[in-house]
Amino acid sequence: MSRTVIIEPVTRIEGHARITLQLGDTGEVEDAKFHLTQFRGFEKFCEGRPYREMPALTARTCGICPVSHVLASNKACDHLLSVSIPPTGEKLRRIINLAQITQSHALSFFHLSSPDLLLGWDSDPVSRNIFGVMRQDPALAKDGIRLRQIGQTIIETLGGKKIHPTWVVPGGVSEPLTQEKRDAMLKLMPEGLDIAKRTYAFFKTLVPKFKDEASHFGNQPTMFLSLVSPKGHLEHYDGFLRLKDAQGRILEDMVPPHEYERLIGEAVEDFSYMKFPYYKPQGYPKGIYRVGPLARLNNVDACGTPYADVALAEFHMLQESGPIASSFHYHYARLVEIIYALEMMERLLKDPTILDARVRARARSNRYEGIGVTEAPRGILMHHYRIDDEGLITWVNLIIATGHNNLAMNQSIRQVADAYVDGNNLQEGMLNRVEAVIRCFDPCLSCASHAFGEMPLAIELKDATGRVVDTLRRG
């Protein structure tokens, strides 16, 4: 008899989701789907707002990724203003973005994924969490908490607060860096880098123990999309789009981010509120690609900092040729990027121009359309706005990092379920492995559910008196 297995909620991720497994009469897996169950609608309720409000508005998409949205939104506003921000303003933006990469990757690795890696897939779920890690390896847990604190402290030092900072503004940043703040942040770098190197060395000893998982956790041929610098180096703030195929051949290179619509289409399905981006020339769903730390390291020619380049070379040794295919190795890639982020922040903070007072270009809106693209911790983040003559938003499209990975996540849970789930003898550890492949991608579902899905629904918008002012229907 066929039946459905529902995993809800999916645990140790940001946001709310469920997984459904369709089992056949003999217990085999016939289908697997990842459902994003939140509905929020940011794109629609931003319409009519002044464009200068967009960084603060869209940052509220998420409490984990506000810096990423602030940066992408402000870059879209820079485009609307037709300004080039002062070089020091750009460097300061880069630092806060790298601090965001550091704290978010630390959260993913230590708090969300290390319980599986350290305690085991089949361990007691009651203790399979950060508190269990604290009991098993107090030093590792302490390192994770401290590393995230370092990233958050830098965000707070620059932005004024750890969550939803407003220091980044259209045209640059609102105030220059003081020597006191610069020196305080520099003092954090050696400790942060020591923790990052120590964790990386520890994780390398774990990798051989998970060969089976690496073979089945999203180990599939896809394309990889990321930003790269003009030299083809690792880039998180600016740069150009590069797309490689599963064999490592470059399909698209040095594409200006504002031309993203030539590359990316978006589809919807009736089982999720998350959109399904795809590579247009190959169509849907064949045009599957992945983004994020795994894609970034697969796409770059070098990181550009000393220790991170050594780690990148070791990363590429995980398989004999071509891009690293297994999504299990997102964990490895995050640790390499933490090292890079700390090395690069230290380099930027020591730049002799970092204390310059000119950090913002001022202008009125000079065009009707603005596009801002940056690399969030989870992958490429795209903000696209249109405005009217009054500077009011008429249309918004947000393509979120987690959304780019939607097709890949759905394929990955099917692959893991096929490998580990026995419908005739279901065990909790089997289902935890299905969840764990989602944790490899580190999805941020609050971000990804920003948009109106094509679910069969009608939603009434009411004013303060309860009067219906608008009805939003499917289609």
Side-chain angles (χ1 to χ4, degrees):
M1 179 179 176
S2 61
R3 56 185 171 138
T4 301
V5 175
I6 300 175
I7 304 172
E8 187 173 27
V10 180
T11 58
R12 281 182 280 133
I13 60 171
E14 199 289 316
H16 304 282
R18 70 172 177 267
I19 294 169
T20 56
L21 306 178
Q22 300 295 332
L23 305 181
D25 293 339
T26 59
E28 78 283 4
V29 177
E30 293 185 340
D31 196 12
K33 285 186 171 65
F34 181 59
H35 308 261
L36 197 160
T37 57
Q38 297 167 283
F39 175 85
R40 303 185 73 186
F42 261 80
E43 290 172 329
K44 192 66 178 177
F45 65 64
C46 286
E47 292 178 8
R49 308 306 306 173
Y51 72 88
R52 290 184 181 274
E53 291 184 3
M54 291 300 289
L57 262 178
T58 56
R60 267 65 185 180
T61 306
C62 178
I64 301 295
C65 314
V67 171
S68 301
H69 286 286
V70 163
L71 286 167
S73 183
N74 274 293
K75 289 186 72 177
C77 292
D78 297 342
H79 197 198
L80 290 171
L81 301 179
S82 301
V83 297
S84 297
I85 72 172
T88 298
E90 179 180 318
K91 291 170 188 172
L92 292 170
R93 284 184 176 186
R94 288 179 177 275
I95 293 171
I96 200 170
N97 193 35
L98 292 167
Q100 165 75 357
I101 296 285
T102 300
Q103 70 86 13
S104 181
H105 282 357
L107 175 65
S108 173
F109 180 80
F110 291 97
H111 294 69
L112 305 182
S113 291
S114 73
D116 294 321
L117 305 173
L118 197 64
L119 306 176
W121 314 104
D122 301 296
S123 59
D124 185 352
V126 172
S127 59
R128 197 174 57 218
N129 49 50
I130 187 61
F131 299 104
V133 173
M134 290 176 183
R135 288 188 289 269
Q136 179 81 8
D137 193 335
L140 180 72
K142 184 178 179 180
D143 277 351
I145 292 168
R146 178 56 177 158
L147 189 58
R148 184 162 191 256
Q149 182 185 38
I150 287 171
Q152 291 286 70
T153 298
I154 294 169
I155 292 171
E156 184 178 28
T157 300
L158 292 172
K161 50 185 178 179
K162 296 176 183 177
I163 301 174
H164 307 314
T166 56
W167 171 72
V168 182
V169 294
V173 297
S174 62
E175 61 181 18
L177 181 64
T178 66
Q179 183 172 336
E180 180 183 10
K181 289 182 178 180
R182 189 270 306 271
D183 293 345
M185 289 187 288
L186 276 172
K187 288 180 181 179
L188 299 172
M189 294 300 110
E191 181 187 5
L193 196 53
D194 283 347
I195 294 173
K197 290 178 179 179
R198 184 162 61 242
T199 306
Y200 173 71
F202 165 73
F203 183 71
K204 285 194 296 181
T205 68
L206 292 183
V207 171
K209 301 177 183 179
F210 295 107
K211 289 183 179 179
D212 191 67
E213 285 79 9
S215 296
H216 298 103
F217 275 37
N219 188 20
Q220 55 204 2
T222 72
M223 294 171 283
F224 297 94
L225 177 68
S226 73
L227 291 177
V228 295
S229 76
K231 294 182 178 180
H233 289 185
L234 187 59
E235 177 61 68
H236 292 95
Y237 171 75
D238 207 4
F240 300 90
L241 297 172
R242 173 177 284 178
L243 183 77
K244 283 188 178 181
D245 67 12
Q247 289 71 46
R249 295 184 292 259
I250 295 177
L251 302 178
E252 305 278 356
D253 204 19
M254 298 299 153
V255 178
H258 66 265
E259 296 181 12
Y260 81 91
E261 289 178 297
R262 178 173 66 81
L263 307 184
I264 298 173
E266 297 177 89
V268 292
E269 297 283 0
D270 63 4
F271 61 85
S272 179
Y273 282 108
M274 181 161 42
K275 295 185 286 187
F276 289 77
Y278 60 94
Y279 179 48
K280 274 185 177 178
Q282 293 192 10
Y284 179 81
K286 190 176 179 180
I288 180 176
Y289 59 88
R290 280 176 279 180
V291 300
L294 183 71
R296 290 190 288 256
L297 295 196
N298 274 329
N299 278 359
V300 299
D301 304 320
C303 289
T305 61
Y307 198 89
D309 275 331
V310 172
L312 178 66
E314 294 174 339
F315 170 80
H316 284 302
M317 293 171 63
L318 290 171
Q319 66 184 48
E320 292 183 3
S321 62
I324 306 303
S326 175
S327 294
F328 180 82
H329 294 310
Y330 268 100
H331 301 311
Y332 198 122
R334 282 187 192 96
L335 296 178
V336 176
E337 286 201 324
I338 291 174
I339 292 169
Y340 167 81
L342 289 159
E343 287 186 305
M344 183 57 71
M345 281 192 286
E346 184 173 38
R347 180 183 296 177
L348 289 167
L349 287 168
K350 289 180 177 179
D351 188 295
T353 66
I354 201 66
L355 299 180
D356 283 1
R358 188 169 179 271
V359 293
R360 183 178 185 181
R362 297 178 183 271
R364 296 178 181 273
S365 57
N366 286 297
R367 67 173 78 222
Y368 293 108
E369 195 163 5
I371 297 171
V373 178
T374 190
E375 287 278 0
R378 292 152 185 83
I380 288 185
L381 173 62
M382 298 171 167
H383 281 226
H384 188 173
Y385 309 151
R386 293 175 188 155
I387 62 173
D388 62 16
D389 289 330
E390 303 301 319
L392 301 180
I393 294 289
T394 61
W395 178 88
V396 176
N397 190 37
L398 308 178
I399 307 182
I400 307 300
T402 295
H404 290 287
N405 282 329
N406 200 4
L407 280 169
M409 288 190 291
N410 275 274
Q411 283 196 8
S412 296
I413 60 171
R414 175 61 189 269
Q415 186 183 45
V416 173
D418 284 340
Y420 295 105
V421 174
D422 178 0
N424 297 312
N425 184 30
L426 279 177
Q427 303 292 325
E428 191 279 334
M430 299 175 184
L431 302 183
N432 182 44
R433 286 172 171 84
V434 178
E435 291 185 70
V437 75
I438 294 297
R439 290 191 281 269
C440 292
F441 291 91
D442 187 29
C444 184
L445 301 179
S446 290
C447 290
S449 62
H450 71 281
F452 281 98
E454 293 281 329
M455 299 282 277
L457 49 78
I459 293 179
E460 293 181 340
L461 301 181
K462 297 182 179 180
D463 63 17
T465 66
R467 181 175 61 90
V468 176
V469 296
D470 197 2
T471 301
L472 311 175
R473 299 184 184 277
R474 181 175 180 179

